[in-house]
Amino acid sequence: VKLVFSGEREILVDVGKKHLTGNLDRVILSGETFVVEGWAADLEKNQPAEEVFIFTDGKLASSAELGISRQDVVEAHQQKALFHSGFRIKIPVKVLKPYPSDIKLIVVSLSDRAWEFSFSPKQMDFIRSTLEQENFSQ
C-alpha cells in the first residue's frame, strides 16, 4: 500500500512497522460524528508522528495532525519528546454510511514512515452497530 500526496510525496505504508508505535485508545460517538482518540510515535527518531489518516474503502475520509499532550506516553517510554504524540480524529457518521467493507487508520511520521493501526474487534463492533441503528437521518 502506498500513500501519494498532491505534492508528489509518496509514502510506503508498511515501512513503519519496526519504528512506529501507538494505540487507538477509544472510539466514541459525539453527536453524528465518530471520534477516534489515541497516540502514535516514531520511537527510533524519538518524536511524535506527524499526521493520521482514515480511509474507508480506499477513499480518504478524514485526517488530523498529532499534537495532543499525552503525559502517560512520556512516562511509559521515559521520553519527554513524546509529550505531543496524541491525536483526535473525527469522521462524520454519514461518511461511513453504509458500513464500509474496509476502514484503515494510517499514521505517517515526520520521516515519511507510515504504518496502519488496527481497530480492535470491540471498536469495529461499536462502529458497525452504530451505523446499523436506524436513528440517523439518511
Side-chain angles (χ1 to χ4, degrees):
V1 182
K2 184 163 70 173
L3 297 183
V4 180
F5 293 87
S6 54
E8 297 197 4
R9 178 183 178 202
E10 290 189 6
I11 297 173
L12 289 170
V13 171
D14 45 3
V15 294
K17 181 176 183 180
K18 292 196 295 287
H19 312 287
L20 287 175
T21 190
N23 193 50
L24 299 182
D25 297 333
R26 60 189 198 142
V27 178
I28 56 172
L29 190 64
S30 174
E32 295 204 356
T33 305
F34 284 109
V35 180
V36 181
E37 295 178 342
W39 68 275
D42 185 329
L43 291 185
E44 189 199 38
K45 302 266 190 205
N46 192 26
Q47 63 193 18
E50 177 186 21
E51 207 166 352
V52 56
F53 300 89
I54 289 189
F55 291 90
T56 57
D57 292 341
K59 296 187 191 76
L60 180 64
S62 188
S63 67
E65 292 188 358
L66 281 83
I68 295 171
S69 33
R70 291 292 300 256
Q71 185 62 31
D72 59 323
V73 176
V74 169
E75 287 165 12
H77 293 278
Q78 298 295 301
Q79 293 292 350
K80 285 197 178 93
L82 301 182
F83 186 61
H84 291 109
S85 60
F87 64 80
R88 181 178 295 120
I89 185 167
K90 298 176 180 174
I91 320 133
V93 168
K94 62 178 184 265
V95 170
L96 297 180
K97 274 278 210 195
Y99 184 74
S101 59
D102 186 43
I103 302 177
K104 286 183 165 41
L105 188 141
I106 294 174
V107 172
V108 176
S109 75
L110 289 161
S111 49
D112 281 357
R113 290 178 174 145
W115 185 241
E116 180 185 339
F117 284 55
S118 297
F119 290 93
S120 71
K122 191 174 166 190
Q123 290 169 340
M124 291 304 286
D125 287 347
F126 171 71
I127 293 170
R128 184 180 291 111
S129 64
T130 302
L131 292 174
E132 285 169 356
Q133 285 170 13
E134 292 307 312
N135 57 359
F136 285 106
S137 48
Q138 299 297 320

